[in-house]
Amino acid sequence: MKTPQGFLAGACCCGIKNNSTKNDTAILYSIVPCQVGAVYTKNSVKADPLLLNKETLKDHAAQAVIINSGNANACAANGMENAIREQKAAADFLDLPSDQVLVASTGVIGVELPVERIEQNIKKIVLEDQIDSAARAIMTTDTVEKTAEVKVMINNTEITLTGLCKGSGMIHPNMGTMLAFIMTDCRIDHHLLQKALLENTQKTFNRVSVDGDTSTNDMCIVLANGLAGNKKIDTENKDFEVFKAALKTVMQSLAIQIAKDGEGASRLITCKVAHAENEDQAETLAKSIVSSSLCKAAMFGHDANWGRVLCAMGYSEAQFDLSKVDVSFASRAGIVNVCSKGKGIEFSEETASSILSEPEIEILVDLNDGKEECVCWGCDLTYDYVKINGDYRT
């Protein structure tokens, strides 16, 4: 996938993990400085790269991001020193001031980052107008790279937004995301860029749950270099709404890809809560359902255990009228109604199992009590999740 105008990307293997031969270090670079929007994990234990970025972005501008996989550089004795060294290594490679470079890390927590390997090998990176090598380099337990692209017209000027992310485990809706980076050639004011990012984060990345864990390193960064040449978006007008919608499309695509590639997952779960009194009520209920280990395990077993759905709704702390609730399961194999007005109804277990055997399934909840709705995404809980995380560090 190509980068937007003025952006380049590349990756190389620095050997951050011993005996690893995969590319583990990536750079995203703009030929001119960018306006930057950023959101970070809500985990109170934050990795040093996040703390460094907050300091770096005091003027809301940057020109590059260096990302390493294989080591989170979180809770390590020399974490901040190593983050600063990684930042400087990228700055020297790109011939930029250090305060124009942001840093992101992902991998094992509490292990010292061998930053000298990045310093020694970063010169092997070849920058090009493609993001694929960078998308692969930032993967940890991900099984596929995750990218998305949208093109829209703003004032007769084509704007491109291109994103890449990584995320498979430690994913829960209390964050920015795992690591996500979006590049755009749109000219837009920083404050509006940040506003669009924050609003869309709540409705995309923050509606995904894989395992209930919120990482120390989660962040989403948007870089806007303005090289498309559109009239600058500096008010909340129609152009801003077009840009915000395009950004949401990219972010939602990446969020769904994260859910689909959850650690050990065999199917994507989409939960839609409809006819709610308000969006917050619908969101709270949908999040609770996709986060429920019992619901996720039932989906893995193709078991239409709708009682677990009601149970997850009940402990969500959202208020609703159980006597009005309908529940269905759906996929490309069909739809089966399993609960009406809060009570069980007869249905074919065979049909339900067939529907839940598809790689993408839906849990549909109708509150029959309003006009608002919300969609959240998750995945099933499989044996492989435990296998992956049982020996992740070693």
Side-chain angles (χ1 to χ4, degrees), residues 6-50:
F7 284 98
L8 299 170
C12 74
C13 175
C14 292
I16 291 172
K17 295 182 76 171
N18 291 333
N19 303 316
S20 175
T21 59
K22 78 172 281 288
N23 285 352
D24 54 22
T25 304
I27 282 181
L28 308 176
Y29 167 69
S30 170
I31 62 175
V32 297
C34 302
Q35 294 295 297
V36 181
V39 289
Y40 307 100
T41 181
K42 292 182 181 179
N43 193 323
S44 62
V45 179
K46 290 179 171 60
D48 285 299
L50 277 71

Side-chain angles (χ1 to χ4, degrees), residues 22-273:
K22 78 172 281 288
N23 285 352
D24 54 22
T25 304
I27 282 181
L28 308 176
Y29 167 69
S30 170
I31 62 175
V32 297
C34 302
Q35 294 295 297
V36 181
V39 289
Y40 307 100
T41 181
K42 292 182 181 179
N43 193 323
S44 62
V45 179
K46 290 179 171 60
D48 285 299
L50 277 71
L51 303 178
L52 178 60
N53 288 347
K54 289 186 175 184
E55 181 68 24
T56 300
L57 283 174
K58 283 186 175 179
D59 64 354
H60 315 301
Q63 203 166 335
V65 186
I66 181 169
I67 312 128
N68 75 268
S69 61
N71 187 299
N73 195 18
C75 305
N78 300 299
M80 181 56 72
E81 177 187 345
N82 289 336
I84 292 171
R85 286 175 62 182
E86 185 172 2
Q87 180 187 52
K88 185 177 186 304
D92 291 346
F93 172 68
L94 298 169
D95 195 23
L96 294 174
S98 289
D99 64 4
Q100 286 295 302
V101 179
L102 304 175
V103 181
S105 299
T106 181
V108 180
I109 295 171
V111 177
E112 201 71 28
L113 174 69
V115 68
E116 68 280 355
R117 300 181 188 180
I118 297 175
E119 294 169 328
Q120 294 163 4
N121 291 284
I122 192 171
K123 60 183 177 293
K124 296 189 296 186
I125 292 178
V126 176
L127 297 174
E128 55 186 358
D129 62 352
Q130 302 284 334
I131 67 169
D132 304 275
S133 63
R136 288 190 293 271
I138 67 176
M139 293 165 55
T140 50
T141 56
D142 307 64
T143 63
V144 293
E145 65 241 39
K146 303 169 177 70
T147 61
E149 178 186 74
V150 169
K151 294 180 182 291
V152 293
M153 298 299 294
I154 295 180
N155 273 327
N156 298 315
T157 302
E158 185 177 72
I159 303 298
T160 302
L161 298 94
T162 303
L164 63 157
C165 74
K166 64 85 50 187
S168 189
M170 293 188 80
I171 304 290
H172 190 61
N174 186 27
M175 54 179 187
T177 174
M178 279 296 289
L179 293 181
F181 310 95
I182 300 168
M183 299 167 282
T184 179
D185 48 19
C186 183
R187 290 185 67 212
I188 183 169
D189 174 78
H190 157 71
H191 297 288
L192 293 181
L193 180 63
Q194 184 70 18
K195 180 180 176 66
L197 174 60
L198 287 173
E199 290 182 8
N200 284 327
T201 296
Q202 183 59 33
K203 296 186 177 184
T204 57
F205 293 128
N206 281 6
R207 290 180 174 175
V208 171
S209 184
V210 168
D211 52 17
D213 280 294
T214 300
S215 172
T216 56
N217 291 59
D218 299 344
M219 73 175 78
C220 179
I221 292 173
V222 183
L223 305 167
N225 67 14
L227 290 180
N230 60 291
K231 181 181 177 182
K232 186 176 181 180
I233 301 174
D234 53 12
T235 60
E236 293 186 44
N237 54 18
K238 181 180 178 181
D239 291 344
F240 173 69
E241 294 301 324
V242 171
F243 175 81
K244 186 169 70 171
L247 180 61
K248 182 181 180 182
T249 298
V250 171
M251 293 171 68
Q252 182 169 300
S253 173
L254 295 176
I256 293 172
Q257 290 178 61
I258 288 173
K260 190 173 184 177
D261 191 36
E263 286 179 340
S266 64
R267 52 189 41 80
L268 170 70
I269 300 172
T270 299
C271 179
K272 180 179 180 180
V273 174

